[in-house]
Amino acid sequence: MQEKQNKLEKKGMSSTGKMVAWIVGGICLFLLIVTGIIIWVVMTFFSGFFTDTEDELNKYMEKKYGEEITLVYAGNRNEANLGDTEHKVALKNNPDFDFWIDVNGFFRTNVEGDDYEKGKKTYEKYQTIEDDMMDISEFGFTRIQEGRYSTYLDYTEEGFYRLNVQDDHLLSRYGLKEEELKDMMEAIKWIRSKGVDIGQLMVFGRPDEAKEGYQIELLVKDVQLISSIADLKKEISEEHPSTLSKEIEERMTPKVKTLNEERIIPNVADQDTHEAHWISCNAIDKDGKCSNMLLMLYYESDGFYPGHPYVVQDLTKVFEWIKPELGDDGNVTIQVIEKEVQNEPLLNLIELDKHDDKEMVGVVWENDQKEFQELKRQQGEGSD
């Protein structure tokens, strides 16, 4: 009887040991699986740092279309768009056949879709004018070097095409020369003669040697609206309002010179371009006139505060001169910097609408003086 009981106890202990072993084994297996998953996730996560975008896009293209591509223009990825962007690619054996590929994912290139069919259709359209493309060199244009616009013909979201060219001259948005406008008009006439649905013209200016890597682009959004240089100016200024600034400045400069030059002169802005200026048109209205302007002046006088006796008189004249340059609902901000003998230059901003009365300059200036004096008083109290 005792022997039988001992056998039962040994059997029970053996069953318990097996159960414990199964539990321990299960836990270990679970931990191994979890560890493997974590390692896989980490490796997948960080592998995005080392993947080559062009290689990833090539895998996609070879699988879907059996084509090999080169990356022409890499879209920007950042936290704001969570890695969603688009890349411009071209067939490796045909750089004029280009299109965009949409991707998402901050660390990996996950392809969402492509415009291959649009690119194919555009290339077929381009072939109808390819033999005549050398004609544009007569107007001073060549092939664009900038990646985003690297082909002569692009498709647009509006459903028509855009011709992209590079101007051999050094262009500026701050005033277009008459010769450059004439060349663009000739290009537009050439576009219309080809019978292709080209709705836009993109002109890139060559880099400024004085500003490394500096380029500008001028977009004509609807070439079908252009029948004269005046139309062309208006169309360009709608996209690039600053092109009006030069003309306005040329009309204003002789008038400003009639003021006492020891008191007020233009204040040339330190712009990151090859031309400096003191009048900036920032928007235009439906009639092609400036609707938002910044005018910068430099006042050469000591004792600007509490107020120079001529400052309101001078600024009132300037405001009257600038009114005809503004659209019906236009406004101007007059920035006045005054030379100080010991302190930093003092800055004043006077915001005026076209239909404000002459007295408005004085009212705004007087209010500005009060604010300045109050600020100086507070600063004086604080120093005590």
Side-chain angles (χ1 to χ4, degrees):
M1 188 75 174
Q2 184 67 35
E3 183 178 348
K4 186 177 181 180
Q5 185 175 350
N6 289 339
K7 286 182 179 181
L8 288 173
E9 287 178 358
K10 287 181 180 180
K11 187 176 180 181
M13 289 177 62
S14 177
S15 299
T16 302
K18 287 181 179 181
M19 186 180 295
V20 171
W22 275 105
I23 292 173
V24 172
I27 292 173
C28 290
L29 180 61
F30 174 77
L31 291 175
L32 284 172
I33 292 173
V34 170
T35 302
I37 292 173
I38 292 173
I39 292 173
W40 179 81
V41 169
V42 170
M43 290 181 67
T44 302
F45 181 82
F46 284 102
S47 66
F49 288 108
F50 308 105
T51 56
D52 184 88
T53 300
E54 188 171 64
D55 289 344
E56 293 292 316
L57 295 177
N58 256 309
K59 290 177 184 177
Y60 167 81
M61 286 299 301
E62 288 172 2
K63 182 178 180 180
K64 187 171 182 180
Y65 300 104
E67 298 279 11
E68 190 174 0
I69 55 92
T70 57
L71 181 62
V72 177
Y73 178 84
N76 293 324
R77 290 183 171 187
N78 52 55
E79 293 85 350
N81 60 17
L82 300 177
D84 296 349
T85 187
E86 56 181 2
H87 302 300
K88 187 176 186 180
V89 302
L91 298 188
K92 194 164 188 177
N93 60 356
N94 190 351
D96 288 310
F97 188 144
D98 68 351
F99 52 96
W100 294 84
I101 296 180
D102 296 323
V103 301
N104 66 15
F106 193 72
F107 296 103
R108 295 190 64 84
T109 302
N110 301 315
V111 178
E112 285 286 291
D114 62 77
D115 288 345
Y116 178 85
E117 293 300 328
K118 287 184 179 179
K120 182 179 179 181
K121 185 179 178 182
T122 303
Y123 176 65
E124 291 170 353
K125 289 285 186 181
Y126 169 71
Q127 286 180 301
T128 65
I129 61 174
E130 184 176 11
D131 293 339
D132 302 324
M133 283 305 298
M134 290 303 293
D135 294 346
I136 66 170
S137 62
E138 297 177 10
F139 320 134
F141 298 127
T142 54
R143 190 188 192 98
I144 276 184
Q145 301 301 316
E146 206 277 343
R148 186 187 289 269
Y149 306 103
S150 56
T151 48
Y152 277 125
L153 200 64
D154 268 344
Y155 53 87
T156 67
E157 293 181 359
E158 292 81 2
F160 44 77
Y161 302 102
R162 179 182 60 237
L163 184 70
N164 304 315
V165 293
Q166 180 103 6
D167 196 308
D168 290 338
H169 300 99
L170 181 62
L171 292 183
S172 170
R173 283 205 193 114
Y174 180 61
L176 291 172
K177 299 181 178 65
E178 204 71 16
E179 180 182 354
E180 294 162 354
L181 291 168
K182 287 180 180 178
D183 288 341
M184 293 178 72
M185 281 298 299
E186 290 299 320
I188 289 172
K189 291 177 183 176
W190 182 88
I191 287 172
R192 288 176 173 172
S193 71
K194 296 305 161 186
V196 179
D197 299 328
I198 298 177
Q200 295 182 354
L201 172 65
M202 171 66 75
V203 179
F204 251 73
R206 67 177 176 82
D208 182 358
E209 290 84 354
K211 302 287 184 181
E212 185 178 352
Y214 174 70
Q215 284 185 322
I216 70 156
E217 73 276 0
L218 295 172
L219 175 63
V220 181
K221 294 194 75 172
D222 194 343
V223 299
Q224 304 306 320
L225 298 177
I226 310 301
S227 58
S228 66
I229 285 184
D231 292 338
L232 180 58
K233 283 183 178 180
K234 181 181 176 183
E235 189 71 9
I236 292 176
S237 63
E238 285 183 356
E239 188 72 16
H240 314 288
S242 58
T243 54
L244 295 179
S245 303
K246 182 72 170 180
E247 296 177 29
I248 297 171
E249 189 172 292
E250 288 175 348
R251 290 190 288 267
M252 282 289 294
T253 297
K255 296 177 182 179
V256 173
K257 283 185 176 180
T258 64
L259 298 173
N260 186 332
E261 292 188 9
E262 293 181 357
R263 292 205 307 263
I264 191 168
I265 58 173
N267 181 45
V268 176
D270 182 19
Q271 299 291 326
D272 187 23
T273 66
H274 59 276
E275 288 185 283
H277 54 88
W278 57 284
I279 292 179
S280 296
C281 181
N282 302 312
I284 71 165
D285 62 14
K286 58 182 176 58
D287 297 319
K289 301 205 73 173
C290 189
S291 60
N292 182 279
M293 183 188 298
L294 175 64
L295 188 150
M296 294 163 284
L297 300 174
Y298 189 81
Y299 215 85
E300 290 255 6
S301 70
D302 298 332
F304 197 54
Y305 289 103
H308 193 286
Y310 296 107
V311 65
V312 173
Q313 173 186 317
D314 290 342
L315 294 180
T316 300
K317 287 182 180 179
V318 170
F319 182 47
E320 288 301 306
W321 292 333
I322 209 67
K323 278 185 178 181
E325 306 291 350
L326 299 173
D328 284 341
D329 297 319
N331 62 79
V332 59
T333 299
I334 304 177
Q335 173 184 296
V336 188
I337 295 181
E338 186 237 352
K339 177 184 177 182
E340 277 278 296
V341 177
Q342 297 177 341
N343 301 322
E344 291 292 322
L346 300 171
L347 173 65
N348 298 265
L349 293 176
I350 305 174
E351 298 180 3
L352 298 164
D353 294 327
K354 179 176 181 177
H355 300 294
D356 285 338
D357 295 328
K358 292 181 181 179
E359 291 76 15
M360 277 298 296
V361 177
V363 172
V364 173
W365 190 259
E366 183 179 347
N367 290 337
D368 181 76
Q369 302 302 303
K370 289 178 180 178
E371 291 179 8
F372 177 78
Q373 293 299 329
E374 178 63 22
L375 178 62
K376 295 294 286 184
R377 186 185 65 80
Q378 293 176 359
Q379 290 176 342
E381 291 176 353
S383 61
D384 292 341

